[in-house]
Amino acid sequence: MSNYIEAGSIIAIATSMSLWQTVFGLDSLAVGLLSALSANAFGSAIGAAIGGPLSDRYGRKFIYTYDLILYMIGTVFAIFAVNFTMLLIGFVLTGIAVGAGVTAAWTYIAEEAPDGRRAGHVGVAQLAWSIGPMIGFLLAAILEPMGLLGSRIIFAHLFVIAFVTWWVRRGLSESQRWKQKNANPNKIGTYRGIAQLFTSKKNVLALLFLLGVYGLWGTVAGQAGIFQPRIYEATGLTDARSQYLLQVLVWGLTSAATFWGFMRYGDKVPRKWLYCFGAGLGIVAWAVLIYGPAGWFSLLFFAVGWGISSGLGAQAFYGLWTAELFATRYRASAQGVLFMLARIMVGVLSLWFPLMLEQVGIHGVGVLILGLLIAALLIGTIWAPKTQGKTLEEIEIERYGRLLDAGAPQASGTSAAGASRPMAEG
């Protein structure tokens, strides 16, 4: 549900931005600032930077007990915004809450997932992420005749879902792997663990790899998420309702590809080639939209290609690989650092993206979009980790030579024999 409301926040902003711009008389720079400080970029980057370390220090449940309270306050500001300042405060608060919640949620899901079905369980987060925009754009299409009131209603539905989610979350248990790590009398402090992220060569290489996969892809996806209506306008599709319905198709196919593709086959087929197929399809889809003949063929080809690609691509693998490549002691902190850096990259481009579309057009921006996607494809395909079918403890031993919190009991589903064998080999 962290993924649902985050993606829902981004789409609520995307579908309402032109309305806020008209009502409040905002220029392109103000629009870029709202986008950059929202859940789509810097706002969530701040939340991730705070939430990741706190999740490692106080537990995953600590974050998902309180983050949605902040989120609900932010949506209230957006629902009742009467000026630019109120709107900006609402976007920043929801962004911070989202950044903290998503890092804890992705970590929690991966740690609690059965070892042989980790991709299938991590994919649930990506599925919720996809359903959020699908419903958001569908609501936008239905409520489009109501203008700004319709946008306020979309934010209100996010408030209701956040409240229900917060209420249900109170009964969730803490991550067993975090509890076992925390019970180790020899555990290191959170800040020392964060320092190890930047002093250990293995950790630095993993950070760079994941930033190349998710950061580069996410820089494109972040603009698509919040500026896609403007991109469609640049390609000739100016009817708002048609833009929203096209996005419903995109995210519906993303949901389908996540469920029938990543969740079903991420634990069965070689992940490198599944990732490569998804990333390659996304490149082709954008190339056709940007440089293909204007009209519905290019638009529908993009919707189908980018939708399927997003279900199989970088974000789902990022959530999976980040959980696998870092030890329990700083797994959430690594999520926070990476999510923060990725959203900073989105934010930097968001500040200038509306102006770039105005000044150089979709063809000029297209060079940057395709370059980022090609780089993400090559990095993920060439350096994809060989973690499939292994427990998190086995991966940790292979990467570090031992369990870093060796005094902690073994996580459920991991036998002492299964853990000691790779340790002896190492």
Side-chain angles (χ1 to χ4, degrees), residues 13 17 30-42 91 226-227 350:
I13 295 168
M17 191 64 78
V31 170
L33 185 63
L34 284 170
S35 304
L37 293 177
S38 69
N40 197 49
F42 291 137
F91 285 8
I226 205 162
F227 293 124
S350 294

Side-chain angles (χ1 to χ4, degrees), residues 12-13 16 20 75 78-79 91 151-159:
I13 295 168
S16 64
W20 299 115
T75 56
I79 293 167
F91 285 8
S151 297
R152 296 182 192 271
I153 292 173
I154 295 174
F155 278 103
H157 114 277
L158 292 172
F159 174 90

Side-chain angles (χ1 to χ4, degrees), residues 5-14 16-17 20 30-48 71 74 78 84 87-100 129 155 222-223 225-227 339-340 342-344 346-348 350-351:
I5 63 174
E6 180 187 22
S9 300
I10 295 171
I11 302 314
I13 295 168
S16 64
M17 191 64 78
W20 299 115
V31 170
L33 185 63
L34 284 170
S35 304
L37 293 177
S38 69
N40 197 49
F42 291 137
S44 58
I46 295 170
Y71 182 90
F84 173 78
L87 193 62
L88 183 62
I89 292 172
F91 285 8
V92 170
L93 291 180
T94 54
I96 292 172
V98 159
W129 183 286
F155 278 103
Q223 312 314 312
I226 205 162
F227 293 124
F339 199 77
M340 175 191 68
R343 289 315 173 100
I344 288 174
V346 173
V348 169
S350 294
L351 285 170

Side-chain angles (χ1 to χ4, degrees), residues 177-206:
R177 281 187 165 94
W178 181 85
K179 288 170 66 175
Q180 290 162 359
K181 183 273 296 185
N182 202 51
N184 177 17
N186 299 317
K187 67 180 184 294
I188 67 170
T190 302
Y191 301 112
R192 182 181 169 192
I194 295 174
Q196 290 180 357
L197 286 176
F198 303 101
T199 55
S200 166
K201 181 179 178 180
K202 292 182 180 295
N203 288 335
V204 171
L205 290 176

Side-chain angles (χ1 to χ4, degrees), residues 93-156:
L93 291 180
T94 54
I96 292 172
V98 159
V102 167
T103 53
W106 284 349
T107 302
Y108 181 88
I109 291 171
E111 289 180 344
E112 293 294 281
D115 293 319
R117 289 281 297 141
R118 197 156 44 243
H121 282 248
V122 170
V124 174
Q126 177 67 18
L127 182 64
W129 183 286
S130 309
I131 293 174
M134 182 177 68
I135 294 177
F137 277 114
L138 184 60
L139 288 173
I142 295 171
L143 300 173
E144 190 265 342
M146 300 177 67
L148 191 57
L149 176 60
S151 297
R152 296 182 192 271
I153 292 173
I154 295 174
F155 278 103

Side-chain angles (χ1 to χ4, degrees), residues 20 24 102 166 199 250 265 318 327 335 352 365-366 378-379 384 399:
W20 299 115
F24 294 158
V102 167
W166 170 78
T199 55
V250 170
Y265 296 101
Y318 161 77
Q335 286 271 20
W352 307 107
V365 174
L378 293 174
I379 292 170
R399 286 182 52 75

